[in-house]
Amino acid sequence: MMSIPSGISVIIPVYNSAVTLHELINQLGTVLPTLASSYEAILINDGSRDKSWEIIQEICKTTPWVRGVNMMRNYGQHNALVCGMRLASFDITVTMDDDLQHPPAEIHKLLSPLAEGNDVVYGIPKKLPHSWWRNVFSRMTKRILAMVMGIPTIRDIGAFRAFRTEIRRASDLFQSPTVILDVLLSWGTTRFATVEVDEAPRQVGHSNYNFSRLVSQALLILTGFSTVPLRMTNWLGFIATFFGFLVLLYVLIQYFMAGSIPGFPFLASLVAIFSGVQLFALGIFGEYLARIFDRSMERPTYVISEQISSLKDKSS
């Protein structure tokens, strides 16, 4: 039988979700008392353009276990999650989306693997709800992230997760505008697990992750938290050099056996190949330099504009 945790903090990044917040809190208010003796929900308004912050304020006035945080601008989902993680008051932290795709009734499935000794548990949908191209690219991005994290047992990663709040100590000093929460979690533990959950279809609006944002996310994961692309350029350089050596050997053999051969098309092809390799390598180096420059500016991961709560802030 699953042991009941002493407290649960639910972190929810909010972006243009004014119409779903009341129903989400109502469902959490039904589920959380059955899971823990103490609980809270932290709603992080990440620069919403609708009335999300006004709704959060209304909810906080009538619901004592809800805390509201208003960011100065839109920083991004993972930045908002890091903010909520650092404000969490209880032993277990649960993260979920604000659009009701992650049903609160499924939270209990995340807690069972934690009771078995795992530190981080991902809730993986039984069926991916997006279009085929989005599902393919999402799976590829998650595989890349798992590789960067260095956790061989994990191949599926999602926004519906539960983890022990103490893991945040491993990334207390992290300060950068580009952040991936899952990588920070991997700095504190290697005990990851997954569990299948039911995911509801989106009731309103549409996903903010289009193709370009998914590509940017994958690029950030690779160049912001991994040296894999640099190692790849080393191998490309080695392969290009070896290929060039073989071409030189072929030309010398042909010269001594058949005399000189017409070489402009052949030479032009070689120049194009090696120029492409060089430009690709320079592009990789440029991405890393951009990340270094970005972090050298010491921009904050997030900045809080306002907090509201009916409970005493236990995070200070």
Side-chain angles (χ1 to χ4, degrees):
M1 184 177 179
M2 183 185 71
S3 59
I4 298 177
S6 59
I8 296 177
S9 296
V10 181
I11 311 301
I12 306 171
V14 177
Y15 184 71
N16 296 340
S17 297
V19 297
T20 60
L21 289 177
H22 280 294
E23 177 60 25
L24 177 58
I25 294 302
N26 288 338
Q27 293 185 25
L28 284 172
T30 302
V31 171
L32 290 178
T34 66
L35 300 178
S37 55
S38 301
Y39 51 89
E40 66 178 354
I42 305 178
L43 303 177
I44 314 291
N45 182 45
D46 189 27
S48 298
R49 295 190 298 268
D50 63 1
K51 295 184 178 180
S52 292
W53 179 239
E54 287 80 357
I55 298 298
I56 291 173
Q57 290 176 310
E58 293 176 7
I59 292 173
C60 290
K61 291 177 182 178
T62 58
T63 313
W65 47 272
V66 176
R67 300 165 59 187
V69 177
N70 191 29
M71 308 285 251
M72 293 193 72
R73 65 171 181 84
N74 177 259
Y75 290 93
Q77 182 185 36
H78 286 263
N79 302 61
L81 287 170
V82 171
C83 173
M85 175 184 70
R86 290 174 176 173
L87 294 175
S89 303
F90 299 116
D91 297 337
I92 301 299
T93 297
V94 175
T95 69
M96 59 192 305
D97 288 343
D98 57 355
D99 54 11
L100 297 174
Q101 283 192 286
H102 299 153
E106 297 290 283
I107 292 178
H108 72 95
K109 295 181 180 179
L110 304 178
L111 303 181
S112 297
L114 289 179
E116 296 170 0
N118 294 291
D119 292 325
V120 182
V121 181
Y122 291 105
I124 305 304
K126 297 176 181 178
K127 182 179 180 181
L128 294 176
H130 306 292
S131 59
W132 69 268
W133 70 266
R134 167 80 186 273
N135 292 336
V136 170
F137 203 86
S138 178
R139 285 187 180 278
M140 184 179 69
T141 304
K142 291 173 181 178
R143 296 296 189 274
I144 293 173
L145 180 54
M147 176 186 65
V148 169
M149 292 167 61
I151 311 296
T153 59
I154 292 296
R155 288 294 177 268
D156 289 308
I157 294 171
F160 195 26
R161 57 174 84 76
F163 57 89
R164 302 186 190 279
T165 306
E166 64 180 8
I167 297 176
R168 66 186 176 190
R169 291 183 297 168
S171 58
D172 277 346
L173 300 179
F174 180 84
Q175 192 78 353
S176 172
T178 53
V179 59
I180 301 294
L181 175 64
D182 306 285
V183 175
L184 300 188
L185 294 177
S186 70
W187 292 357
T189 184
T190 58
R191 294 190 291 269
F192 286 72
T194 60
V195 62
E196 285 192 343
V197 297
D198 292 320
E199 187 167 297
R202 180 183 290 270
Q203 297 187 7
V204 294
H206 59 276
S207 175
N208 295 310
Y209 280 90
N210 52 30
F211 180 76
S212 62
R213 289 198 64 180
L214 287 173
V215 172
S216 298
Q217 190 86 341
L219 197 58
L220 168 62
I221 293 168
L222 281 173
T223 59
F225 299 92
S226 168
T227 59
V228 170
L230 286 176
R231 294 176 180 174
M232 185 171 64
T233 58
N234 287 339
W235 279 104
L236 279 175
F238 173 78
I239 293 172
T241 302
F242 183 70
F243 180 70
F245 174 77
L246 292 180
V247 171
L248 175 62
L249 188 62
Y250 168 76
V251 170
L252 290 175
I253 293 175
Q254 285 292 102
Y255 176 78
F256 286 111
M257 294 185 62
S260 61
I261 57 175
F264 178 75
F266 186 67
L267 181 60
S269 300
L270 284 181
V271 170
I273 291 173
F274 287 108
S275 298
V277 171
Q278 290 173 344
L279 288 175
F280 178 79
L282 287 174
I284 294 296
F285 297 150
E287 283 291 331
Y288 277 93
L289 287 175
R291 303 298 178 198
I292 295 172
F293 172 76
D294 203 26
R295 294 184 180 180
S296 68
M297 295 176 67
E298 297 185 352
R299 292 165 54 200
T301 307
Y302 55 86
V303 178
I304 296 175
S305 172
E306 182 181 357
Q307 293 191 60
I308 182 171
S309 174
S310 297
L311 294 176
K312 183 180 179 181
D313 187 359
K314 299 178 181 180
S315 63
S316 59

